[in-house]
mmCIF file of all heavy atoms in Angstrom:
data_model
loop_
_atom_site.group_PDB
_atom_site.id
_atom_site.type_symbol
_atom_site.label_atom_id
_atom_site.label_comp_id
_atom_site.label_asym_id
_atom_site.label_seq_id
_atom_site.Cartn_x
_atom_site.Cartn_y
_atom_site.Cartn_z
ATOM 1 N N GLU A 64 -10.010 -16.594 13.075
ATOM 2 C CA GLU A 64 -10.330 -15.161 12.980
ATOM 3 C C GLU A 64 -10.650 -14.805 11.526
ATOM 4 O O GLU A 64 -9.784 -14.911 10.659
ATOM 5 C CB GLU A 64 -9.145 -14.329 13.470
ATOM 6 C CG GLU A 64 -9.258 -12.835 13.231
ATOM 7 C CD GLU A 64 -10.473 -12.195 13.869
ATOM 8 O OE1 GLU A 64 -10.661 -12.345 15.083
ATOM 9 O OE2 GLU A 64 -11.252 -11.545 13.143
ATOM 10 N N PRO A 65 -11.906 -14.386 11.244
ATOM 11 C CA PRO A 65 -12.277 -14.048 9.862
ATOM 12 C C PRO A 65 -11.750 -12.690 9.390
ATOM 13 O O PRO A 65 -11.925 -12.324 8.234
ATOM 14 C CB PRO A 65 -13.811 -14.061 9.902
ATOM 15 C CG PRO A 65 -14.153 -13.746 11.328
ATOM 16 C CD PRO A 65 -13.035 -14.316 12.162
ATOM 17 N N GLY A 66 -11.118 -11.928 10.268
ATOM 18 C CA GLY A 66 -10.536 -10.653 9.854
ATOM 19 C C GLY A 66 -11.329 -9.435 10.253
ATOM 20 O O GLY A 66 -10.926 -8.314 9.960
ATOM 21 N N GLY A 67 -12.463 -9.627 10.910
ATOM 22 C CA GLY A 67 -13.260 -8.474 11.321
ATOM 23 C C GLY A 67 -13.901 -7.779 10.137
ATOM 24 O O GLY A 67 -14.029 -8.323 9.054
ATOM 25 N N ARG A 68 -14.262 -6.534 10.344
ATOM 26 C CA ARG A 68 -14.933 -5.738 9.309
ATOM 27 C C ARG A 68 -13.988 -5.504 8.132
ATOM 28 O O ARG A 68 -12.818 -5.172 8.305
ATOM 29 C CB ARG A 68 -15.355 -4.396 9.909
ATOM 30 C CG ARG A 68 -16.022 -3.451 8.910
ATOM 31 C CD ARG A 68 -16.543 -2.209 9.608
ATOM 32 N NE ARG A 68 -15.515 -1.373 10.174
ATOM 33 C CZ ARG A 68 -14.932 -0.358 9.526
ATOM 34 N NH1 ARG A 68 -15.257 -0.081 8.281
ATOM 35 N NH2 ARG A 68 -14.010 0.372 10.127
ATOM 36 N N PHE A 69 -14.504 -5.669 6.917
ATOM 37 C CA PHE A 69 -13.719 -5.389 5.720
ATOM 38 C C PHE A 69 -13.779 -3.886 5.450
ATOM 39 O O PHE A 69 -14.854 -3.292 5.408
ATOM 40 C CB PHE A 69 -14.256 -6.167 4.507
ATOM 41 C CG PHE A 69 -13.348 -6.089 3.327
ATOM 42 C CD1 PHE A 69 -12.187 -6.843 3.281
ATOM 43 C CD2 PHE A 69 -13.643 -5.255 2.259
ATOM 44 C CE1 PHE A 69 -11.330 -6.774 2.192
ATOM 45 C CE2 PHE A 69 -12.794 -5.185 1.170
ATOM 46 C CZ PHE A 69 -11.638 -5.939 1.136
ATOM 47 N N ARG A 70 -12.613 -3.279 5.299
ATOM 48 C CA ARG A 70 -12.516 -1.831 5.111
ATOM 49 C C ARG A 70 -12.222 -1.525 3.644
ATOM 50 O O ARG A 70 -11.112 -1.776 3.180
ATOM 51 C CB ARG A 70 -11.407 -1.260 5.995
ATOM 52 C CG ARG A 70 -11.674 -1.402 7.468
ATOM 53 C CD ARG A 70 -10.422 -1.042 8.252
ATOM 54 N NE ARG A 70 -10.652 -1.111 9.670
ATOM 55 C CZ ARG A 70 -10.768 -0.058 10.473
ATOM 56 N NH1 ARG A 70 -10.657 1.162 9.993
ATOM 57 N NH2 ARG A 70 -10.971 -0.222 11.760
ATOM 58 N N LYS A 71 -13.205 -0.985 2.941
ATOM 59 C CA LYS A 71 -13.036 -0.670 1.519
ATOM 60 C C LYS A 71 -12.024 0.443 1.297
ATOM 61 O O LYS A 71 -11.402 0.525 0.251
ATOM 62 C CB LYS A 71 -14.376 -0.288 0.895
ATOM 63 C CG LYS A 71 -15.337 -1.434 0.818
ATOM 64 C CD LYS A 71 -16.648 -1.035 0.197
ATOM 65 C CE LYS A 71 -17.586 -2.223 0.195
ATOM 66 N NZ LYS A 71 -18.896 -1.908 -0.344
ATOM 67 N N PHE A 72 -11.859 1.322 2.285
ATOM 68 C CA PHE A 72 -10.949 2.461 2.163
ATOM 69 C C PHE A 72 -9.845 2.412 3.222
ATOM 70 O O PHE A 72 -9.396 3.455 3.724
ATOM 71 C CB PHE A 72 -11.734 3.775 2.254
ATOM 72 C CG PHE A 72 -12.752 3.933 1.154
ATOM 73 C CD1 PHE A 72 -14.095 3.713 1.390
ATOM 74 C CD2 PHE A 72 -12.355 4.288 -0.129
ATOM 75 C CE1 PHE A 72 -15.038 3.854 0.373
ATOM 76 C CE2 PHE A 72 -13.285 4.431 -1.150
ATOM 77 C CZ PHE A 72 -14.627 4.203 -0.902
ATOM 78 N N ALA A 73 -9.389 1.216 3.560
ATOM 79 C CA ALA A 73 -8.361 1.045 4.598
ATOM 80 C C ALA A 73 -7.084 1.812 4.259
ATOM 81 O O ALA A 73 -6.466 2.411 5.140
ATOM 82 C CB ALA A 73 -8.051 -0.436 4.785
ATOM 83 N N GLY A 74 -6.682 1.804 3.002
ATOM 84 C CA GLY A 74 -5.477 2.528 2.609
ATOM 85 C C GLY A 74 -5.579 4.012 2.889
ATOM 86 O O GLY A 74 -4.642 4.634 3.403
ATOM 87 N N LYS A 75 -6.727 4.591 2.582
ATOM 88 C CA LYS A 75 -6.950 6.014 2.853
ATOM 89 C C LYS A 75 -6.944 6.272 4.362
ATOM 90 O O LYS A 75 -6.385 7.269 4.825
ATOM 91 C CB LYS A 75 -8.274 6.463 2.242
ATOM 92 C CG LYS A 75 -8.564 7.928 2.425
ATOM 93 C CD LYS A 75 -9.882 8.306 1.787
ATOM 94 C CE LYS A 75 -10.204 9.758 2.091
ATOM 95 N NZ LYS A 75 -11.590 10.071 1.753
ATOM 96 N N GLU A 76 -7.525 5.349 5.136
ATOM 97 C CA GLU A 76 -7.538 5.487 6.594
ATOM 98 C C GLU A 76 -6.113 5.419 7.154
ATOM 99 O O GLU A 76 -5.764 6.183 8.069
ATOM 100 C CB GLU A 76 -8.398 4.395 7.217
ATOM 101 C CG GLU A 76 -9.878 4.516 6.884
ATOM 102 C CD GLU A 76 -10.684 3.305 7.339
ATOM 103 O OE1 GLU A 76 -10.323 2.692 8.374
ATOM 104 O OE2 GLU A 76 -11.660 2.958 6.662
ATOM 105 N N ILE A 77 -5.294 4.537 6.618
ATOM 106 C CA ILE A 77 -3.903 4.432 7.071
ATOM 107 C C ILE A 77 -3.141 5.705 6.714
ATOM 108 O O ILE A 77 -2.366 6.227 7.520
ATOM 109 C CB ILE A 77 -3.222 3.163 6.497
ATOM 110 C CG1 ILE A 77 -3.783 1.917 7.204
ATOM 111 C CG2 ILE A 77 -1.701 3.246 6.651
ATOM 112 C CD1 ILE A 77 -3.297 0.596 6.650
ATOM 113 N N LEU A 78 -3.360 6.234 5.530
ATOM 114 C CA LEU A 78 -2.718 7.500 5.144
ATOM 115 C C LEU A 78 -3.099 8.621 6.111
ATOM 116 O O LEU A 78 -2.252 9.438 6.491
ATOM 117 C CB LEU A 78 -3.081 7.873 3.707
ATOM 118 C CG LEU A 78 -2.271 7.180 2.633
ATOM 119 C CD1 LEU A 78 -2.985 7.240 1.280
ATOM 120 C CD2 LEU A 78 -0.883 7.802 2.522
ATOM 121 N N ALA A 79 -4.363 8.656 6.515
ATOM 122 C CA ALA A 79 -4.817 9.684 7.468
ATOM 123 C C ALA A 79 -4.097 9.525 8.808
ATOM 124 O O ALA A 79 -3.707 10.525 9.435
ATOM 125 C CB ALA A 79 -6.330 9.606 7.654
ATOM 126 N N GLU A 80 -3.894 8.292 9.247
ATOM 127 C CA GLU A 80 -3.172 8.051 10.505
ATOM 128 C C GLU A 80 -1.699 8.424 10.377
ATOM 129 O O GLU A 80 -1.103 8.958 11.318
ATOM 130 C CB GLU A 80 -3.316 6.589 10.945
ATOM 131 C CG GLU A 80 -4.687 6.247 11.455
ATOM 132 C CD GLU A 80 -5.071 7.028 12.703
ATOM 133 O OE1 GLU A 80 -4.222 7.195 13.604
ATOM 134 O OE2 GLU A 80 -6.224 7.493 12.766
ATOM 135 N N ILE A 81 -1.102 8.154 9.230
ATOM 136 C CA ILE A 81 0.292 8.541 8.982
ATOM 137 C C ILE A 81 0.441 10.057 9.112
ATOM 138 O O ILE A 81 1.353 10.561 9.745
ATOM 139 C CB ILE A 81 0.766 8.036 7.600
ATOM 140 C CG1 ILE A 81 0.952 6.516 7.638
ATOM 141 C CG2 ILE A 81 2.037 8.743 7.149
ATOM 142 C CD1 ILE A 81 1.204 5.887 6.274
ATOM 143 N N ARG A 82 -0.508 10.788 8.513
ATOM 144 C CA ARG A 82 -0.473 12.255 8.608
ATOM 145 C C ARG A 82 -0.701 12.716 10.038
ATOM 146 O O ARG A 82 0.025 13.566 10.556
ATOM 147 C CB ARG A 82 -1.522 12.863 7.675
ATOM 148 C CG ARG A 82 -1.537 14.400 7.743
ATOM 149 C CD ARG A 82 -2.570 15.022 6.852
ATOM 150 N NE ARG A 82 -3.896 14.564 7.232
ATOM 151 C CZ ARG A 82 -4.964 14.664 6.455
ATOM 152 N NH1 ARG A 82 -4.861 15.194 5.260
ATOM 153 N NH2 ARG A 82 -6.129 14.236 6.854
ATOM 154 N N ARG A 83 -1.697 12.142 10.703
ATOM 155 C CA ARG A 83 -2.036 12.548 12.072
ATOM 156 C C ARG A 83 -0.875 12.305 13.030
ATOM 157 O O ARG A 83 -0.587 13.137 13.893
ATOM 158 C CB ARG A 83 -3.279 11.784 12.547
ATOM 159 C CG ARG A 83 -3.830 12.271 13.868
ATOM 160 C CD ARG A 83 -5.134 11.578 14.222
ATOM 161 N NE ARG A 83 -4.962 10.205 14.632
ATOM 162 C CZ ARG A 83 -4.503 9.813 15.825
ATOM 163 N NH1 ARG A 83 -4.152 10.694 16.717
ATOM 164 N NH2 ARG A 83 -4.400 8.539 16.121
ATOM 165 N N GLU A 84 -0.187 11.177 12.856
ATOM 166 C CA GLU A 84 0.932 10.821 13.737
ATOM 167 C C GLU A 84 2.268 11.402 13.264
ATOM 168 O O GLU A 84 3.302 11.151 13.872
ATOM 169 C CB GLU A 84 1.047 9.294 13.849
ATOM 170 C CG GLU A 84 -0.131 8.643 14.530
ATOM 171 C CD GLU A 84 -0.217 8.947 16.012
ATOM 172 O OE1 GLU A 84 0.835 9.209 16.646
ATOM 173 O OE2 GLU A 84 -1.339 8.928 16.557
ATOM 174 N N LYS A 85 2.217 12.142 12.139
ATOM 175 C CA LYS A 85 3.423 12.775 11.575
ATOM 176 C C LYS A 85 4.545 11.764 11.298
ATOM 177 O O LYS A 85 5.706 11.993 11.600
ATOM 178 C CB LYS A 85 3.918 13.893 12.487
ATOM 179 C CG LYS A 85 2.915 15.033 12.619
ATOM 180 C CD LYS A 85 3.419 16.084 13.592
ATOM 181 C CE LYS A 85 2.533 17.295 13.672
ATOM 182 N NZ LYS A 85 1.203 17.131 14.145
ATOM 183 N N VAL A 86 4.157 10.645 10.701
ATOM 184 C CA VAL A 86 5.112 9.602 10.329
ATOM 185 C C VAL A 86 5.831 10.038 9.061
ATOM 186 O O VAL A 86 5.193 10.452 8.087
ATOM 187 C CB VAL A 86 4.396 8.245 10.106
ATOM 188 C CG1 VAL A 86 5.365 7.200 9.577
ATOM 189 C CG2 VAL A 86 3.738 7.774 11.394
ATOM 190 N N ASP A 87 7.144 9.964 9.080
ATOM 191 C CA ASP A 87 7.944 10.287 7.897
ATOM 192 C C ASP A 87 7.955 9.047 7.005
ATOM 193 O O ASP A 87 8.654 8.073 7.301
ATOM 194 C CB ASP A 87 9.366 10.658 8.313
ATOM 195 C CG ASP A 87 10.248 11.001 7.130
ATOM 196 O OD1 ASP A 87 9.707 11.376 6.066
ATOM 197 O OD2 ASP A 87 11.478 10.882 7.259
ATOM 198 N N ALA A 88 7.153 9.057 5.957
ATOM 199 C CA ALA A 88 7.009 7.879 5.088
ATOM 200 C C ALA A 88 6.655 8.294 3.672
ATOM 201 O O ALA A 88 6.148 9.396 3.449
ATOM 202 C CB ALA A 88 5.925 6.961 5.640
ATOM 203 N N ARG A 89 6.937 7.404 2.758
ATOM 204 C CA ARG A 89 6.464 7.532 1.377
ATOM 205 C C ARG A 89 5.536 6.352 1.137
ATOM 206 O O ARG A 89 5.891 5.220 1.466
ATOM 207 C CB ARG A 89 7.630 7.492 0.404
ATOM 208 C CG ARG A 89 8.539 8.688 0.497
ATOM 209 C CD ARG A 89 9.650 8.551 -0.547
ATOM 210 N NE ARG A 89 10.548 9.670 -0.479
ATOM 211 C CZ ARG A 89 11.743 9.641 0.124
ATOM 212 N NH1 ARG A 89 12.166 8.551 0.714
ATOM 213 N NH2 ARG A 89 12.504 10.707 0.130
ATOM 214 N N VAL A 90 4.373 6.616 0.545
ATOM 215 C CA VAL A 90 3.368 5.575 0.380
ATOM 216 C C VAL A 90 2.980 5.452 -1.083
ATOM 217 O O VAL A 90 2.690 6.442 -1.752
ATOM 218 C CB VAL A 90 2.114 5.867 1.234
ATOM 219 C CG1 VAL A 90 1.059 4.791 1.019
ATOM 220 C CG2 VAL A 90 2.485 5.982 2.707
#
Side-chain angles (χ1 to χ4, degrees):
E64 171 58 55
R68 178 174 65 91
F69 190 76
R70 295 170 178 253
K71 292 180 182 178
F72 299 102
K75 182 180 175 193
E76 293 171 32
I77 288 175
L78 279 161
E80 288 297 318
I81 288 171
R82 180 181 60 197
R83 188 174 73 76
E84 295 291 333
K85 297 177 175 63
V86 174
D87 180 23
R89 292 181 181 101
V90 178

